[in-house]
Amino acid sequence: MTGTTAGELFRSRFGGTADGVWFAPGRANLMGEHTDYNEGYVLPFALGQGVAAAAARRADRRLVLCSAQEPGPAVEISLDGLTPGQVTGWAAYPAGVAWALTAAGYQVPGASIAVDSDVPAGAGLSSSAALECATALALTGLAGLAVDRRELAAIARRAENDFAGVPSGIMDQSASLLSRRGHALLLDCRSLESSQVPFDPAASGARLLLINTRAGHELSAGEYGRRRAECEQAARLLGVPSLRYLTDVADLDRIDDPLLRRRARHVVTDDQRVLAAVGWLTSASGDGYPEIGRLLTQAHRSLRDDFEVSWPQADVAVEAALAAGALGARMIGGGFGGSVLALVREDAADPVHAAVMDAFARRSWSAPEILAAVPSASARRVALE
Ligand code: GAF
C-alpha cells in the first residue's frame, strides 16, 4: 500500500492536504507464539500490507479520526482529560496512542488523521498494532519528536493494553516498528534486545503463503487472558518469575495439573523452536527450509494440542497444505481464528493453494483468502503523491 489512498481520503473528508503520510505494516510470525508475555523469544516479520495514516496538525486540542474501513462520521476526541474507557471501537487504538504518548511525557498536538488499511481485520495479522504504530509515527512526526522505536513500541502496546483493554504482549508493535526487509526480527521479550535474522525464502526457491481462514478472532474475548493466567500460575508453581526461565521440559514434571503442564510445555518448546529456527536461518550449511517447515508443523501441533488455541479451519488448512506438499504450516497469532502460515517450495505453491481451497469448499466453508507473505520493511513516512 502507498500513501495515496489515505491522502485522498484525507482530502475528501477533511479538505486540504495532509502534512504527511505514515505507514506501519502488519506482521506474520515465523515462530514463537504466546511466548512474548512469558518473557520468551519471538521471530516475527513485517508484511508488505499495513495501515497508512494521512495526518495534519490542527490548531485546537482535538483528535479527529476517520477510516476508509469504517463507515459513519469522523470520530472527534478532546486530547485534554483523555481517559481509558472513554473511546471504544476502532478509534480506541489511535486515541490510546495519543493518551499513552501523553502519559510518557510527550506533547501531543491536535491532529486530523485519515487511515486506510490493506491488512484484513480479524485475520491475526496485527491490523490493530499497525494502526497504533502508524498513529504513533504520525503524531510524533507532526510534533517533530524523535522517539526511540523501542520506546514507541512500548507506548503503542500500552495504548492497546491500558486504553483499548486488550491484554496483548509486545510482539506485534515491535514487529511493525523494528523489522527489516528480507529479515525476521528475533526479539528477546525479557531483555527486549532484538536482532535481524536474514529471512528471504524467495532467494532459496521457497514461498510463504498466508491463509486467512476468515474465521473470526477477538483477542479481548477471555481465552487469551485465560492462557496468560495459566502460564503465570505454572511459573508460580515452579518458583520462577516467568516460563522463560525454564529451558528443559523435564522441569515441567513437577507440575501436577496436566492442563497447566501442557500449557507450559507449549511455551518452553516454542522458545526452543524459535532458537532452532534462527539456527537454521543463520547456518552456513545451506538450505534450512525443510527443517524450518518441520518446526512450523511441530509448533502447530503444540498450539493445537498443548495450548489449545487452534480452530477447525486452521487445522484443516494445515493438513491440506501438508498433504499437497508444503514444507510446513501452522496457525499464527493469538488463535481462535485468523491465519495460517505455510512454507512451500515454489513449485508446490499452486497445488497447496488449490488443495486448501478445495478442503474448505468440501466443508462448505467460506473460501479462504490466500496472500503471499514477503518479509518487508518496518513503519516509515511515505510519499504523499
Ligand atoms: C497476539 C498478541 F497481540 C501478541 O502479543 C502475542 O501474544 C500473540 O497473540 C500470540 O503469540 O497477536
Side-chain angles (χ1 to χ4, degrees):
M1 158 173 288
T2 67
T4 312
T5 54
E8 278 165 7
L9 181 68
F10 185 98
R11 247 190 311 277
S12 71
R13 296 294 294 270
F14 300 131
T17 308
D19 294 341
V21 185
W22 288 265
F23 170 85
R27 63 98 191 94
N29 185 15
L30 184 60
M31 204 64 70
E33 221 62 90
H34 289 271
T35 47
D36 60 354
Y37 57 79
N38 287 299
E39 296 190 299
Y41 297 103
V42 291
L43 192 60
F45 57 92
L47 296 171
Q49 295 87 347
V51 171
R57 274 187 89 123
R58 297 172 61 92
D60 60 17
R61 297 282 304 142
R62 300 187 81 71
L63 193 58
V64 184
L65 305 160
C66 72
S67 158
Q69 281 69 43
E70 302 289 336
V75 178
E76 288 212 30
I77 298 154
S78 168
L79 286 170
D80 298 320
L82 196 55
T83 47
Q86 194 186 319
V87 185
T88 54
W90 74 275
Y93 297 96
V97 170
W99 169 82
L101 278 167
T102 307
Y106 295 105
Q107 286 284 341
V108 175
S112 298
I113 307 183
V115 299
D116 192 11
S117 169
D118 63 355
V119 190
L125 303 176
S126 290
S127 54
S128 324
L131 175 56
E132 291 151 16
C133 295
T135 308
L137 283 193
L139 289 175
T140 52
L142 290 177
L145 295 165
V147 184
D148 175 82
R149 290 223 165 180
R150 289 198 297 184
E151 185 185 355
L152 217 50
I155 287 170
R157 179 196 178 180
R158 184 148 190 236
E160 180 151 336
N161 292 178
D162 299 342
F163 195 90
V166 181
S168 54
I170 190 71
M171 171 170 71
D172 302 345
Q173 295 79 8
S174 303
S176 188
L177 287 166
L178 301 175
S179 292
R180 186 183 296 167
R181 178 199 299 266
H183 291 75
L185 179 79
L186 172 62
L187 177 68
D188 177 337
C189 300
R190 182 168 64 187
S191 66
L192 296 183
E193 291 292 315
S194 62
S195 59
Q196 304 291 338
V197 180
F199 182 41
D200 184 6
S204 301
R207 271 204 225 168
L208 292 162
L209 299 182
L210 262 183
I211 303 162
N212 172 9
T213 67
R214 297 192 198 269
H217 134 108
E218 181 54 81
L219 266 195
S220 50
E223 289 294 340
Y224 184 90
R226 199 164 302 138
R227 293 300 180 283
R228 284 191 73 140
E230 288 161 353
C231 291
E232 284 159 15
Q233 201 186 338
R236 258 195 315 278
L237 286 171
L238 293 170
V240 289
S242 70
L243 292 178
R244 160 63 184 279
Y245 288 76
L246 305 170
T247 49
D248 188 346
V249 280
D251 293 336
L252 306 177
D253 293 344
R254 291 190 282 125
I255 304 177
D256 290 331
D257 182 331
L259 182 137
L260 292 183
R261 200 163 54 235
R262 283 190 283 118
R263 301 292 192 253
R265 185 168 59 197
H266 165 71
V267 174
V268 172
T269 58
D270 233 31
D271 273 336
Q272 292 170 346
R273 280 185 285 272
V274 171
L275 298 180
V278 171
W280 285 113
L281 287 174
T282 51
S283 92
S285 65
D287 180 6
Y289 285 107
E291 283 73 16
I292 290 178
R294 271 190 282 281
L295 290 168
L296 283 173
T297 306
Q298 277 172 19
H300 184 73
R301 305 219 155 114
S302 176
L303 287 157
R304 184 190 65 192
D305 302 335
D306 280 352
F307 219 63
E308 295 182 280
V309 291
S310 189
W311 63 102
Q313 288 86 344
D315 297 337
V316 164
V318 166
E319 297 310 327
L322 292 174
L327 296 172
R330 74 170 185 88
M331 57 148 282
I332 60 168
F336 304 104
S339 297
V340 161
L341 181 70
L343 178 65
V344 300
R345 289 277 180 221
E346 195 76 48
D347 56 2
D350 289 344
V352 166
H353 190 291
V356 173
M357 288 298 206
D358 183 54
F360 275 53
R362 272 189 283 117
R363 288 164 178 82
S364 304
W365 289 341
S366 311
E369 177 185 21
I370 305 187
L371 312 165
V374 179
S376 300
S378 66
R380 58 202 178 270
R381 188 170 184 162
V382 292
L384 179 61
E385 287 149 23

